[in-house]
Amino acid sequence: MADVELAARIKAALSEVEIPGGGDLASYAGLSEVIVTPSAIAFAIAVAPGMEAAFGPTREQAVKRAQALGGDRKVLVSVTGDKPNVAKFSHGKATPPGKTKVDGIKRIIGVGSGKGGVGKSTTSVNFALSLAAEGLKVGILDADLYGPSVPKLLGLEGKSAIRDDGIFTPHEAYGLKVMSIGSMLVDGQAVVWRGPMATSALRQLLRETDWGDLDVLVIDLPPGTGDIHIALFQQTIVDGVVIVSTPQDLALIDAQKAIDMLGKMQVPVLGLVENMSYFIAPDTGNRYDIFGSGGAERAAATMGIPFVGAIPLVMSIRENSDAGTPPVVAVPDGAEAQAYRAIARKVITTLR
Ligand code: ADP
């Protein structure tokens, strides 16, 4: 059945679900669009602040109706009562209430950037592989809704499996456990996966995946600062975030914004990585500081955060990434792999 047709049938079934105060869910103004993908059904119910608990039974009924029609698709229904509020936490001293750990995962490290295209996903994947090369049990969660590329970078194809009990089984690649928000999307749908739906998808990927025991879960965050970041940092204890930036000033200004947000949300910045930092000519081996040198390092010093390393701009990083064989595993003795591994070691030291 076409996805739109199924979405319409689910919407129709929601007319049999009651909402608090009378009336049905299908005609309720707070119901979002119903999104159907090959592996998931998602929608959100916006309610007045304080009404979340009252809508619990409505949500439960809605999930059941969707499950009955959706075959083996995962059903994601979120009830949201309020817009996440960054300011709420900006002056707090203690850990904000409601932050919890994820069962079986010792540490969670986010990889973020001020804007897209700076090499954040490439860095996330090679960083995760470098942590694994240090002997740690590592997973990677691709939360970059607007450009989920981790599976491709790891040479993975196909969606992740869902067990009978509704729990996701992660893919495995080069010893990493891998889940991607991309496996829930079909082309072009990222745009409608805004706000509550995106945050609810991330929450479920994080907490309803059979990660096993992990020393570290690396999360490839979307670029910038948005709902996904706020919801993640409010709900989950994230040990810290590594920020990736290119040397250009503009990217650094964007990176500064991301760092300011982390400060407000009391999430430690583990370090700044300068990507595409310098160019090594393949023929002569000469180094060219094409964007000027040391920009990110100086910026890190000004911002009072650790500078954890620079990655050169080299064709082989791009080629190996496109081929699904990341440099850290493709050429483990190469200079690029060593650059990523040095970063991972520094971050581990900072964490300890
Ligand atoms: P982002 O996640 O920030 O959007 P990606 O990791 O997808 O960025 O990288 C964008 C592009 O730049 C990709 O084609 C990737 O292969 C390439 N790239 C990333 N880092 C490097 C590097 N150090 N040298 C050469 N190419 C790189």
Side-chain angles (χ1 to χ4, degrees), residues 184-204:
M184 292 186 162
L185 302 169
V186 287
D187 284 351
Q189 269 196 343
V191 192
V192 295
W193 275 61
R194 286 262 159 87
M197 252 180 317
T199 55
S200 144
L202 176 63
R203 191 184 163 83
Q204 299 202 18

Side-chain angles (χ1 to χ4, degrees), residues 151-168:
K152 185 173 167 268
L153 290 169
L154 288 166
L156 291 169
E157 273 175 30
K159 56 182 185 174
S160 354
I162 303 173
R163 292 193 325 219
D164 288 348
D165 57 1
I167 299 292
F168 288 108

Side-chain angles (χ1 to χ4, degrees), residues 196-279:
M197 252 180 317
T199 55
S200 144
L202 176 63
R203 191 184 163 83
Q204 299 202 18
L205 286 173
L206 188 59
R207 295 182 185 267
E208 295 176 21
T209 291
D210 180 12
W211 295 109
D213 284 327
L214 292 183
D215 293 312
V216 184
L217 178 70
V218 174
I219 304 186
D220 183 15
L221 296 165
T225 53
D227 291 349
I228 285 227
H229 305 77
I230 294 169
L232 174 70
F233 299 146
Q234 279 182 347
Q235 294 166 358
T236 306
I237 298 175
V238 175
D239 294 276
V241 171
V242 173
I243 299 283
V244 181
S245 175
T246 57
Q248 296 96 313
D249 282 341
L250 187 63
L252 285 172
I253 290 166
D254 288 330
Q256 172 78 62
K257 278 191 213 150
I259 289 163
D260 288 348
M261 179 222 198
L262 292 167
K264 281 190 184 143
M265 304 218 51
Q266 301 174 358
V267 177
V269 180
L270 295 174
L272 185 70
V273 171
E274 186 178 42
N275 188 36
M276 311 192 197
S277 177
Y278 49 92
F279 175 67

